[in-house]
Amino acid sequence: MTSDIARERLHPSVSDPVLDVMNFLNEVTSRYPDAISFAPGRPYDGFFDATAVAGYLDRYLAHLAARGMPPEQVRAAVFQYGPTAGSIREIIAEALRRDEGIDVAAESIVVTVGAQEAMVLTLRALMASSRDVLVVPSPCYVGITGAARLLNVPVAGVREGPGGLCGADVEAVLLAERDRGRCPRALYVITDHSNPLGSTLGLHTRHALLEIAERHDLLVIEDSPYRLVSTGPRLPTLKALDRGRRVVHVGSFSKTLFPGARVGFAVADQIVGHGDDGRTGLLADELSKIKSMITVNTSSLSQAVVAGMLLSSSGGVTTLNDRPAAYYEHTMTATLRELDRRFPAAVRDQLGVRWTPPGGGFFIAMTVPFRADESALERSARDHGVIWTPMSQFYSLGGGDTALRLSCSYLNDEEIVEGVARLARFVAQEARNA
């Protein structure tokens, strides 16, 4: 007798389309290997140097030895299980001070398996009641909404435009959720060059969100993957502006150093009371407890290589990203130029195609005159050799059916020129058939 399992006996999240979107994209890409893909938001491979990894590891080991650590402990620091909260917290804290003006104690940092684990830990710690709600932009990065689905956390969406969230809209959703008898517990936001819209919050909006968080006893989960891979002046992070410990800052070295390390972190310096005895601790301590039951610790070897990279650049990420940031600015400019060339103003008006040029990051959101769903993506890959990401899965409030996301971060000039040409042919054909 076989032990077949009825799908309805599994957690409902496994049937959620949000959890299927990456598998579908990977499957389409594998079936059409000659297609040019604007789908994955990943760094450009050309900046990875496999021969440098050993040097970064040696740099970290030398750092430990210089601090007086005996050889057996240096060896264990790489080969053994490490502290659950992470072994390079001081180095990350220094990088945050240098790069972002975020001045926090190392003890308030938890080193995680990418930013994704940081989000899961934060949601699990904060969402204590079935009434607790996570507020997110709509559209929104599927990693956070997928994590909420896995944890049975209700999600409330706030409509986001090309300029990002509006404070008044956020506050209206908070009040509406309270009227429903629910408790908005946290707001998730990517402040710079968001995924998928590419929008960046203005300074006024950043201050407004912190004021709203204070007024409504809300925490803000700030995700920041694309700041340091973009050129030009940067507005301060919410965490750098945070004076009331309202912000849990989530970071990652996947976009800035290399994704294979899978090293991220959460800055959680909120004070947590421990009952009637008056003892207090940090939210980071609570995240670490949860992590001990999920991944135990982040790879010691990965942490060592990341630390070596940071130490080799005087402790910061910014100088390591001068060349990559310039490259991503170039690919974004090239993609926007080709879009303008293939879709001149008259053609855009005729077809109803539009996009808002982002100020940096990896992504461009494009509206098209047809349903940009999985069937359309299949036709695009099969008949025209170009792949993109449907936008509808990013919308918690529904919508995005006639929009697609383009990522240009890891393509070269030739691929961008040919890829946009193929995209233009696909859009024209779909428009005729619509």
Side-chain angles (χ1 to χ4, degrees):
M1 179 182 293
T2 61
S3 57
D4 296 338
I5 302 173
R7 181 171 289 273
E8 57 267 22
R9 296 194 65 189
L10 299 176
H11 190 270
S13 64
V14 301
S15 300
D16 194 312
V18 169
L19 271 66
D20 230 11
V21 63
M22 290 309 301
N23 288 336
F24 175 74
L25 286 171
N26 290 336
E27 190 264 336
V28 169
T29 301
S30 66
R31 281 194 290 115
Y32 301 102
D34 294 330
I36 295 173
S37 180
F38 289 95
R42 66 188 188 194
Y44 175 57
D45 292 351
F47 293 111
F48 302 151
D49 181 2
T51 63
V53 172
Y56 293 133
L57 180 58
D58 288 342
R59 179 69 180 83
Y60 178 62
L61 297 181
H63 167 76
L64 296 181
R67 295 177 61 189
M69 185 177 287
E72 62 273 14
Q73 290 184 24
V74 171
R75 184 172 61 248
V78 174
F79 285 98
Q80 276 291 3
Y81 297 108
T84 299
S87 55
I88 63 169
R89 293 191 291 171
E90 292 84 1
I91 294 172
I92 293 175
E94 178 61 22
L96 287 171
R97 277 189 288 273
R98 288 176 177 270
D99 293 322
E100 300 286 19
I102 297 175
D103 191 0
V104 293
E107 291 75 21
S108 67
I109 296 172
V110 178
V111 186
T112 58
V113 182
Q116 190 66 33
E117 187 189 23
M119 295 178 203
V120 172
L121 298 179
T122 303
L123 289 182
R124 181 64 291 158
L126 296 181
M127 303 297 172
S129 162
S130 59
R131 294 175 55 246
D132 289 340
V133 177
L134 172 68
V135 181
V136 302
S138 182
C140 181
Y141 169 55
V142 296
I144 189 72
T145 52
R149 184 74 169 110
L150 288 172
L151 296 172
N152 296 320
V153 172
V155 170
V158 183
R159 291 287 182 192
E160 179 180 5
L165 288 176
C166 168
D169 292 342
V170 172
E171 193 153 29
V173 168
L174 298 179
L175 294 172
E177 288 300 306
R178 287 213 164 87
D179 286 345
R180 295 178 60 191
R182 303 210 293 189
C183 177
R185 189 76 176 91
L187 166 70
Y188 170 85
V189 62
I190 299 178
T191 46
D192 298 89
H193 318 306
S194 69
N195 180 7
L197 286 183
S199 58
T200 294
L201 298 184
L203 184 59
H204 173 78
T205 302
R206 294 174 195 234
H207 283 293
L209 291 181
L210 291 174
E211 292 168 4
I212 290 168
E214 183 69 31
R215 202 159 55 241
H216 290 272
D217 192 22
L218 187 75
L219 288 176
V220 180
I221 303 171
E222 178 185 30
D223 195 3
S224 61
Y226 307 106
R227 283 174 58 81
L228 300 183
V229 291
S230 299
T231 60
R234 295 186 295 269
L235 293 171
T237 64
L238 291 176
K239 191 60 186 173
L241 298 171
D242 183 21
R243 298 297 176 263
R245 294 196 182 99
R246 287 287 166 186
V247 179
V248 175
H249 183 83
V250 171
S252 170
F253 297 107
S254 291
K255 302 297 188 294
T256 54
L257 302 187
F258 65 107
R262 301 304 301 132
V263 174
F265 57 90
V267 178
D269 59 349
Q270 290 71 28
I271 304 297
V272 177
H274 288 280
D276 297 334
D277 59 7
R279 293 187 304 113
T280 60
L282 295 172
L283 179 58
D285 300 328
E286 311 307 314
L287 301 188
S288 182
K289 291 177 188 176
I290 300 168
K291 178 178 172 62
S292 72
M293 293 293 111
I294 300 177
T295 56
V296 184
N297 69 289
T298 302
S299 164
S300 298
L301 184 59
S302 290
Q303 289 187 74
V305 174
V306 165
M309 294 183 78
L310 295 174
L311 291 168
S312 72
S313 64
S314 301
V317 175
T318 303
T319 54
L320 290 169
N321 274 268
D322 285 345
R323 287 180 59 234
Y327 183 84
Y328 300 135
E329 180 182 39
H330 172 79
T331 58
M332 177 64 73
T333 300
T335 303
L336 292 170
R337 182 185 64 240
E338 289 303 308
L339 287 173
D340 281 331
R341 189 162 75 89
R342 295 292 179 175
F343 297 97
V347 173
R348 291 201 295 271
D349 291 342
Q350 178 188 0
L351 293 178
V353 171
R354 64 183 184 275
W355 62 87
T356 300
F362 289 2
F363 305 113
I364 304 166
M366 182 178 183
T367 300
V368 292
F370 53 87
R371 189 175 180 85
D373 56 12
E374 292 182 357
S375 297
L377 176 57
E378 180 80 27
R379 293 192 296 275
S380 180
R382 181 190 65 220
D383 301 336
H384 297 275
V386 63
I387 297 172
W388 36 266
T389 303
M391 282 282 285
S392 58
Q393 300 297 343
F394 297 98
Y395 282 79
S396 60
L397 295 175
D401 295 330
T402 59
L404 52 89
R405 190 195 73 178
L406 303 174
S407 175
C408 52
S409 54
Y410 74 104
L411 300 176
N412 60 38
D413 285 356
E414 182 180 342
E415 290 167 329
I416 289 170
V417 170
E418 177 60 24
V420 174
R422 294 180 186 184
L423 178 69
R425 291 193 290 270
F426 162 70
V427 170
Q429 179 170 316
E430 291 290 311
R432 286 194 296 270
N433 297 336

